[in-house]
Amino acid sequence: MRWFWIDRFVEFDSGSQAKAVKNVSLSEEHMHDHFPGFPVMPASLMLEGMAQTGGILLGEKNNFDHVVILAKVPKLTFHSWAEPGDTLTYEATLMDSRDEGGSTQVVAKVGERLVAEAEIVFVHLDHNDPELGAVDQKNFVFSTGLLSTMDVGAAGDGSK
Amino acid sequence: MASAEEIYEKVQDTLMDALGVDDDEVTPEATLVGDLGAESIDFLDIVFRLEKNFDVKIPKGELFPENLASADSNFAVDGVVTPEGIDELRKQMPHLDVDKFAEDPKVENIQDMFTVQMIVNFISTKLAA
């Protein structure tokens, strides 16, 4: 099993912003215990989905030449929750990008309802970093269903 | 041109946001690592925020020294910064209080030079340039 916490991108404006969706389902096992009788998407996994949206936005800008690592979450606020049947949208905006890493702002919503807001900072590591195992983030993105969703373009229909 | 006080206040705000500390903790003498609990990753966050708040560009290694203690430089031997290394610091990093560091130039003491005042000095020079 791969650690995917977004289902697909619905908008992708290279180097600028990206929007991904996560459909929350009662068939996800963790929902049964979180919480019994009141299933809601765990906040930690929402943060992971927000970080994946922002991290792929940053990685794609550099053609996945760097390994993008989640380094710091300076700000994270939850305003609401997401239940089975909800579609979470994660809207990431690239705030900064440089050799050493980048920072993003990500907003999570269900429809127009604000669920969470985060600031997420990433650092770049080299593929040949001796402390790093074999990590292929380009493969992570392009060998999966995320491939076609990377072609959505800024407007969601492939156009820029 | 921002006044010294304006620069200080903005640096203070920047560090409060980046490190989650209170304004009374951010004194000019406070060290980023020792007093304010900064970790290496926070330095990048601080640089991002300073760039945004002051509308300046801060190239890698300009605010915080890099590679000083790396094995292939002759700037540090056995965990102590050499006189050449100290000269280099003075030359490259005029915003650092190198005199104080030179009294006990252990590599591990380098981070004690990273104070709130150091950032204020750096930004003041940068804005005056």
Side-chain angles (χ1 to χ4, degrees):
Chain A
M1 183 185 138
R2 299 294 294 267
W3 189 246
F4 291 122
W5 290 103
I6 51 180
D7 292 333
R8 58 172 295 182
F9 283 94
V10 290
E11 285 174 29
F12 205 99
D13 188 359
S14 178
S16 170
Q17 47 195 2
K19 193 192 275 190
V21 294
K22 158 70 188 161
N23 289 311
V24 180
S25 169
L26 197 51
S27 65
E28 295 171 73
E29 222 172 275
H30 55 87
M31 300 291 274
H32 303 168
D33 302 312
H34 188 285
F35 299 94
F38 182 59
V40 288
M41 173 83 175
S44 52
L45 296 178
M46 271 193 248
L47 174 61
E48 177 64 29
M50 293 164 92
Q52 290 184 356
T53 308
I56 291 172
L57 176 64
L58 175 63
E60 191 273 344
K61 180 178 190 240
N62 299 304
N63 195 30
F64 299 97
D65 289 342
H66 305 290
V67 178
V68 175
I69 303 286
L70 168 61
K72 179 176 174 182
V73 183
K75 276 187 194 152
L76 175 63
T77 311
F78 287 93
H79 301 276
S80 179
W81 59 79
E83 325 175 79
D86 283 344
T87 297
L88 275 161
T89 57
Y90 301 134
E91 296 175 39
T93 307
L94 194 59
M95 306 305 291
D96 281 296
S97 162
R98 51 195 278 156
D99 277 357
E100 304 100 292
S103 89
T104 58
Q105 280 187 348
V106 191
V107 176
K109 289 180 179 170
V110 171
E112 286 305 304
R113 174 163 54 90
L114 183 62
V115 175
E117 294 173 285
E119 242 179 74
I120 306 176
V121 176
F122 301 90
V123 290
H124 290 150
L125 295 181
D126 284 334
H127 284 284
N128 54 11
D129 192 309
E131 290 183 19
L132 215 58
V135 179
D136 187 344
Q137 291 184 329
K138 192 167 183 172
N139 190 41
F140 173 88
V141 173
F142 286 95
S143 68
T144 67
L146 290 174
L147 168 65
S148 57
T149 64
M150 291 290 287
D151 296 327
V152 292
D157 61 0
S159 64
K160 289 286 171 190
Chain B
M1 172 80 202
S3 72
E5 198 174 324
E6 282 165 357
I7 293 175
Y8 180 76
E9 278 175 12
K10 251 164 132 177
V11 167
Q12 200 174 30
D13 286 346
T14 303
L15 293 174
M16 284 160 62
D17 283 345
L19 304 176
V21 289
D22 293 328
D23 55 354
D24 61 349
E25 294 177 85
V26 187
T27 59
E29 310 78 39
T31 59
L32 300 183
V33 177
D35 294 329
L36 302 181
E39 297 178 24
S40 60
I41 196 62
D42 293 315
F43 291 162
L44 181 61
D45 189 24
I46 290 170
V47 167
F48 279 145
R49 287 171 196 277
L50 289 172
E51 285 192 336
K52 191 158 70 187
N53 293 348
F54 289 98
D55 195 22
V56 291
K57 280 272 158 247
I58 305 175
K60 192 177 178 185
E62 202 178 285
L63 174 58
F64 300 107
E66 289 195 356
N67 303 325
L68 190 74
S70 67
D72 54 350
S73 82
N74 58 351
F75 295 151
V77 175
D78 296 334
V80 177
V81 177
T82 59
E84 292 81 22
I86 289 176
D87 283 348
E88 189 69 15
L89 273 177
R90 279 190 216 280
K91 208 160 58 187
Q92 304 266 348
M93 308 253 150
H95 51 286
L96 296 184
D97 185 358
V98 178
D99 289 343
K100 193 168 159 213
F101 171 71
E103 291 167 14
D104 186 15
K106 291 198 189 83
V107 169
E108 67 202 53
N109 293 340
I110 289 176
Q111 63 184 36
D112 292 341
M113 284 189 287
F114 304 161
T115 60
V116 176
Q117 187 62 46
M118 171 203 89
I119 296 180
V120 173
N121 293 347
F122 176 80
I123 292 291
S124 305
T125 313
K126 196 93 186 160
L127 291 179

